[in-house]
């Protein structure tokens, strides 16, 4: 049923290519115009219902103190290295002007006054923690309302002010704070271009034709334009996290080019049989398009499953990325066949350079292609798969042992959020972070806000301050602020350790489990720990707690879908276990690189950092969906061969070798696209890029070319075992044995790509 619908859709698009291309141009134009007219900018809101930090934020909001809103800090030091604020009147005057102009910015509720604190004398604690003990560093803390009342324009106004004052005042001015984290533009533009260039090179080498290489790229660019514009429109109605456009571009480019590659490869097979280009395009969509729809749907459903974490920004981020993937699937079965129809028979042959590359004689373009070259390549893959099939036990044990060894670092995985100290020194946030840590201690970069409602116990605040200050993880406590109307008190405390340090998370946990209960006692008063560091710690704990439930749900869904697709119990079970191995190995490599620092310099990582709390869950959703792509494409071909020959060993050798070249080309494209993002500035982007690239590389090499043929050989005919009672209950899936209905009448058996 699906095959026939896709056949009609693909054939229609190929017969009327310019209508379809025009429709996509109109859709892209409308999407971009809508993004300009009603779109918003991405913003991060690291909160979730039911968390202690969220309860603290609600108390602070009730009190109306403003301390639950966004913050920024302007960190300054004299340009003259021989001067201090105490003995240089010009620097103090400049500081006063800076604080005054920051106070005048839109939506600023208030600022600290380090120039006024200078007159207090004494050490940094006496001066409210606004001027360092040596008088060399001062901080203007800026308080904004909550994020819902702000926009990226507020960040732009602060940054523009800093740029202007740097040229007018004798001060070095650096900036940071949660306002930057929430509204900074994600990096990724250069990475997208690098990824596209790498993908184009690989496609040209795979097909030996500029036209064939250009079509998947063109389709991906169209789809990405519509997808990112749609994401921008979504940001106009809800908070879309800043990582969503980067992740959407990363995944969208990868799957878009991959899906186009599979359809294009099948299209060229049909052209080789002598079919008309339009009919070839329709049949390519009917056959390769079914796995595309199936695999793309799996990716979308897996990512949407992030809602189980009950963390709103993850749910919205997953929705945004899913939209991009869905658009790529639609483009693969509509826009791509239109391109194929417009290209005509040119896709069935390679150019001179392509012929030379395929023949292995790129330095001598004038020679004719060696007819045995394609057969040699096919024989090479068959020899390898046949070799693995003759020695399945050592290869299965060896490959599984290798992946399990790579997974071992996961035992030391620590979630958190890299602070500004992990950014490159070229960023003002990093320079501000270093100045604050130098002048006041690392914990000053991640203050905690304790919100207390002393109802029924007026003496609780004194006990609270004394008990919190005595904790070994607390460096200092700012004066308590009490709202007269509600009686709610807010207490800003500074840990002794940096926001991303594990000791800070331990301090937060100890405050909640020991310190606050001791100070409050059994009375009606209550207190909660909030602030950015506490919120991020809470989100990390929640995602870690929900990860097993999410993993179990995705595994169960994948098992059922594969069982429907391939009418087997053991094939989907094996697929689930092998996918877990490749994902586990990628997690282990991430821990080794980011937490242990192994090879971090190669991707520009300047300091070890914890794994971003939400990335393991996101990666699992995306990687499981992407690995299912290769599983579906490979097993579809193996099942075709099994149904044709009835011989399991022959089906494995022919099916795996017949898809090996296209899968390795697709994997190389994905790895190139993802690695281009691993060199971005932001550590979170690096983690996404490296995690996705390593998992896809492992999946397409160790898993698909070693473990799959080895384990399927060991299982023999039981690969396709399905109890009769279960077979009667299951409906027929979208991928499986009905490829024949898409074949041209009287056509010879399809050649494999590696055969040519």
């Amino acid at each position: 049923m699906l095959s026939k619908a896709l056949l009609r859709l693909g054939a229609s698009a190929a017969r009327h290519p310019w209508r379809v291309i025009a429709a996509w141009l109109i859709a892209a134009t409308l999407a971009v115009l809508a993004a300009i007219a009603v779109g918003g900018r991405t913003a991060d809101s690291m909160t979730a219902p039911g968390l202690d930090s969220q309860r603290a934020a609600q108390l602070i909001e009730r009190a109306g103190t403003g301390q639950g809103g966004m913050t920024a800090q302007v960190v300054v030091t004299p340009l003259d290295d021989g001067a201090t604020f105490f003995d240089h009147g010009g620097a103090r005057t400049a500081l006063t002007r800076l604080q005054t102009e920051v106070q005048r910015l839109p939506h600023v509720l208030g600022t600290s006054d380090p120039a006024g604190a200078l007159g207090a004398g004494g050490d940094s604690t006496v001066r409210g923690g606004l001027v360092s003990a040596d008088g060399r560093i001062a901080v203007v803390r800026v308080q904004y309302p909550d994020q819902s009342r702000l926009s990226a324009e507020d960040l732009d106004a602060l940054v523009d002010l800093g740029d202007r004052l740097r040229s007018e005042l004798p001060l070095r001015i650096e900036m940071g704070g949660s306002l930057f984290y929430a509204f900074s533009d994600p990096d990724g533009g250069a990475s997208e271009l690098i990824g596209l260039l790498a993908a184009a090179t690989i496609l040209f080498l795979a097909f030996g034709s500029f036209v064939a290489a250009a079509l998947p790229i063109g389709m991906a660019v169209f789809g990405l334009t519509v997808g990112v514009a749609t994401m921008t429109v979504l940001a106009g109605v809800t908070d879309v996290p800043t990582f969503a456009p980067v992740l959407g571009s990363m995944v969208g480019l990868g799957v878009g080019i991959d899906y186009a590659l599979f359809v294009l490869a099948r299209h060229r097979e049909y052209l080789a049989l002598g079919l008309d280009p339009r009919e070839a395009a329709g049949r390519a969509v009917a056959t390769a398009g079914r796995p595309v729809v199936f695999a793309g749907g799996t990716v979308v459903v897996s990512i949407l499953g992030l809602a189980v974490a009950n963390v709103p920004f993850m749910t919205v981020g997953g929705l945004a990325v899913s939209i991009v993937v869905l658009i790529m699937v639609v483009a693969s079965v509509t826009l791509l066949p239109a391109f194929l129809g417009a290209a005509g028979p040119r896709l069935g042959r390679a150019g001179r350079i392509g012929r030379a590359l395929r023949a292995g004689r790129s330095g001598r373009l004038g020679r004719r292609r060696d007819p045995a070259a394609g057969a040699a390549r096919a024989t090479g893959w068959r020899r390898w798969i046949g070799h693995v099939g003759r020695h399945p036990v050592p290869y299965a044990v060896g490959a599984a042992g290798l992946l399990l060894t790579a997974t071992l670092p996961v035992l030391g995985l620590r979630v958190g959020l890299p602070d500004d100290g992990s950014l490159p020194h070229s960023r003002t946030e990093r320079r501000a972070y270093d100045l604050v840590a130098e002048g006041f201690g690392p914990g000053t970069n991640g203050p905690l806000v304790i919100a207390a409602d002393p109802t029924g116990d007026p003496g609780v605040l004194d006990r609270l301050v004394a008990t919190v200050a005595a904790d070994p993880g607390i460096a200092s406590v700012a004066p308590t602020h009490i709202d007269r109307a509600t009686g709610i008190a807010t207490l800003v405390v500074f840990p002794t350790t940096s926001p991303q340090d594990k000791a800070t998370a331990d301090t937060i946990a100890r405050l909640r489990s020991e310190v606050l209960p001791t100070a409050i006692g059994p009375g009606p008063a209550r207190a909660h720990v909030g602030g950015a560091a506490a919120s991020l710690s809470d989100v990390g704990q929640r995602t870690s707690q929900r990860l097993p439930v999410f993993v179990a749900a995705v595994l169960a869904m994948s098992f059922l879908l594969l069982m429907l697709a391939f009418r087997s119990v053991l094939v989907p079970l094996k697929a689930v276990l092998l996918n877990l191995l490749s994902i586990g190995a990628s997690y282990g490599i991430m821990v080794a690189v980011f937490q242990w620092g192994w090879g971090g310099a190669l991707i520009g990582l300047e300091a070890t950092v914890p794994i971003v709390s939400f990335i393991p869950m996101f990666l699992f959703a995306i990687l499981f969906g992407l690995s299912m792509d290769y599983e579906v494409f490979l097993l579809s071909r193996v099942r075709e061969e099994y149904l044709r020959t009835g011989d399991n060993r022959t089906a494995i050798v022919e099916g795996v070798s017949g898809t090996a070249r296209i899968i390795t080309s697709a994997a190389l494209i994905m790895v190139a696209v993802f690695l281009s993002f691993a060199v971005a500035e932001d550590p979170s982007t690096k983690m996404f890029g490296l995690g996705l690239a390593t998992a896809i590389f492992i999946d397409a090499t160790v898993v698909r070319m070693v473990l799959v043929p080895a384990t399927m050989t060991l299982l023999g005919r039981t690969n396709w075992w399905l109890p009769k009672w279960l077979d009667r209950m299951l409906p027929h899936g979208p991928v499986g044995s009905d490829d024949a209905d898409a074949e041209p009448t009287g056509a010879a058996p399809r050649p494999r790509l590696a055969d040519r």
Side-chain angles (χ1 to χ4, degrees):
M1 197 71 176
L2 177 62
S3 175
K4 292 178 181 177
L6 290 174
L7 176 64
R8 289 193 296 269
L9 182 64
S12 176
R15 282 195 301 270
H16 309 286
W18 301 114
R19 295 182 190 176
V20 177
I21 294 171
W24 271 91
L25 277 171
I26 293 171
T29 302
L30 291 177
V32 171
L33 291 176
I36 295 172
V38 299
R41 291 181 66 171
T42 58
D44 286 313
S45 179
M46 298 292 183
T47 59
L51 300 177
D52 189 68
S53 54
Q54 181 71 6
R55 297 188 185 99
Q58 291 169 348
L59 276 181
I60 295 170
E61 186 177 358
R62 254 182 62 199
T65 62
Q67 288 179 307
M70 306 297 295
T71 61
Q73 55 185 17
V74 183
V75 189
V76 293
T77 188
L79 286 176
D80 181 1
D81 291 337
T84 68
F85 284 124
F86 285 116
D87 61 14
H88 195 288
R92 186 181 301 190
T93 301
L95 178 60
T96 301
R97 180 185 165 191
L98 172 72
Q99 184 264 331
T100 301
E101 296 219 25
V102 171
Q103 176 72 59
R104 291 173 180 166
L105 289 174
H107 298 128
V108 171
L109 300 178
T111 65
S112 61
D113 184 13
L118 283 169
D123 60 18
S124 176
T125 303
V126 174
R127 290 186 245 116
L130 301 178
V131 183
S132 62
D134 61 4
R136 290 287 303 125
I137 300 170
V139 179
V140 178
R141 294 197 172 92
V142 190
Q143 185 66 56
Y144 287 90
D146 63 75
Q147 186 171 332
S148 62
R149 295 181 236 171
L150 301 175
S151 69
E153 294 178 358
D154 294 284
L155 175 60
D156 294 340
L158 180 61
V159 171
D160 291 344
L161 176 63
D163 291 340
R164 177 169 63 84
L165 294 182
R166 284 188 185 98
S167 62
E168 299 176 4
L169 301 178
L171 301 173
R172 174 187 168 191
I173 303 173
E174 308 295 350
M175 300 179 176
S178 60
L179 188 72
F180 282 79
Y181 181 80
F183 295 111
S184 291
D185 286 326
D187 52 352
S191 298
E192 293 169 11
L193 180 59
I194 294 170
L196 281 172
L197 291 175
T201 303
I202 296 168
L203 283 167
F204 175 70
L205 293 175
F207 289 114
S209 164
F210 286 112
V211 176
L215 295 188
I217 299 291
M219 190 214 78
V221 170
F222 260 100
L224 196 60
T225 300
V226 177
V228 173
T230 305
M231 196 183 298
T232 304
V233 173
L234 181 64
V237 296
T238 187
D239 288 335
V240 175
T242 55
F243 65 79
V246 176
L247 186 59
S249 299
M250 198 186 309
V251 176
L253 282 177
V255 302
I257 296 173
D258 258 21
Y259 294 162
L261 180 61
F262 288 120
V263 175
L264 177 59
R266 189 59 68 95
H267 174 71
R268 283 162 62 96
E269 291 181 3
Y270 284 125
L271 288 179
L273 291 174
L275 268 69
D276 176 79
R278 292 172 176 79
E279 185 181 0
R283 296 192 179 280
V285 172
T287 51
R290 280 177 306 167
V292 164
V293 172
F294 179 82
T298 304
V299 175
V300 169
V301 173
S302 296
I303 297 176
L304 290 178
L306 291 166
V308 75
N310 194 25
V311 178
F313 80 88
M314 290 182 62
T315 303
V316 176
L319 174 62
V321 175
S322 295
I323 289 173
V324 177
V325 175
L326 186 61
I327 289 171
M328 288 299 183
V329 172
V330 175
S332 298
V333 297
T334 56
L335 180 60
L336 182 61
F339 283 164
L340 299 179
R346 286 174 293 173
L347 291 176
R349 58 183 182 270
R352 292 179 63 205
I353 297 176
R355 290 195 298 270
L357 286 172
R358 285 188 169 193
R361 296 190 296 270
S362 57
R364 302 169 66 181
L365 302 183
R367 290 197 176 184
R368 299 172 65 88
R369 177 182 172 186
D370 180 2
R377 279 193 301 274
T379 302
W381 282 116
R382 289 193 185 95
R383 276 202 304 264
W384 169 251
I385 302 303
H387 173 70
V388 172
R390 288 190 296 274
H391 310 281
V393 174
Y395 275 104
V397 172
L402 177 66
L403 295 186
L404 287 172
T405 301
T407 305
L408 286 177
V410 172
L411 298 176
L413 185 146
R414 180 172 69 86
V415 298
L417 190 81
D419 54 33
D420 289 344
S422 61
L423 295 174
H425 286 90
S426 59
R427 296 276 290 268
T428 185
E429 301 101 296
R430 169 62 186 270
R431 298 192 295 269
Y433 179 97
D434 289 344
L435 282 175
V436 170
E438 176 188 340
F440 306 95
T444 311
N445 282 298
L448 306 175
V449 182
I450 298 178
D453 183 355
T455 302
D457 190 354
V460 72
L461 295 180
D462 292 335
R463 298 197 306 272
L464 187 63
V465 172
T467 308
V468 170
D471 186 85
I474 301 300
S476 61
V477 180
T480 306
H481 185 284
I482 303 175
D483 179 62
R484 291 173 181 252
T486 62
I488 294 173
T490 51
L491 192 67
V492 178
V493 301
F494 299 94
T496 58
T497 50
S498 68
Q500 72 175 23
D501 199 309
K502 182 179 183 299
T504 302
D506 294 339
T507 297
I508 294 170
R510 187 170 57 253
L511 288 175
R512 289 169 172 163
S513 63
E514 300 176 18
V515 177
L516 298 188
T518 299
I520 293 175
R526 56 196 176 106
H528 305 283
V529 182
S535 295
L536 295 171
S537 176
D538 289 350
V539 169
Q541 288 185 3
R542 169 162 290 184
T543 54
S544 297
Q545 292 168 356
R546 299 291 176 90
L547 184 59
V549 177
F550 173 72
V551 168
V554 171
L555 294 181
M557 177 200 70
S558 302
F559 177 83
L560 290 174
L561 287 176
L562 286 174
M563 186 168 61
L564 284 172
F566 298 109
R567 321 301 294 178
S568 167
V569 172
L570 294 181
V571 163
L573 180 61
K574 171 194 61 67
V576 165
L577 294 177
L578 295 187
N579 287 348
L580 276 177
L581 272 179
S582 61
I583 294 173
S586 72
Y587 281 5
I589 292 171
M590 285 175 56
V591 171
V593 172
F594 291 97
Q595 289 185 209
W596 300 353
W598 293 6
L602 297 176
I603 58 172
L605 188 68
E606 298 190 5
T608 57
V609 293
I611 304 301
V612 177
S613 56
F614 55 84
I615 282 184
M617 188 175 283
F618 252 103
L619 279 185
F620 187 88
I622 295 169
L623 288 174
F624 214 90
L626 293 181
S627 64
M628 292 285 284
D629 291 358
Y630 298 141
E631 190 75 25
V632 168
F633 286 113
L634 186 150
L635 289 180
S636 295
R637 188 62 66 91
V638 172
R639 182 161 177 79
E640 286 180 37
E641 296 294 339
Y642 180 74
L643 293 174
R644 184 176 66 84
T645 65
D647 182 82
N648 184 68
R649 186 178 294 273
T650 300
I652 294 169
V653 172
E654 292 298 319
V656 177
S657 64
T659 56
R661 181 178 165 215
I662 200 69
I663 284 180
T664 51
S665 298
L668 276 175
I669 290 171
M670 278 218 188
V671 169
V673 169
F674 295 152
L675 279 182
S676 68
F677 286 84
V679 296
E681 289 186 347
D682 182 63
S684 301
T685 305
K686 290 180 184 293
M687 288 182 196
F688 275 125
L690 184 65
L692 289 168
T694 53
I696 293 299
F697 177 79
I698 291 169
D699 190 81
T701 54
V702 179
V703 172
R704 302 297 155 210
M705 299 303 139
V706 180
L707 277 173
V708 166
T711 54
M712 291 191 76
T713 299
L714 289 172
L715 290 173
R717 295 181 65 88
T718 56
N719 277 304
W720 312 108
W721 174 74
L722 183 71
K724 291 183 179 180
W725 61 268
L726 185 58
D727 186 37
R728 289 192 295 269
M729 292 176 59
L730 295 177
H732 284 272
V735 182
S737 61
D738 59 340
D739 279 345
D741 64 6
E743 295 291 343
T745 304
R750 284 193 300 267
R752 302 303 174 242
L753 188 62
D755 291 342
R756 306 199 314 277

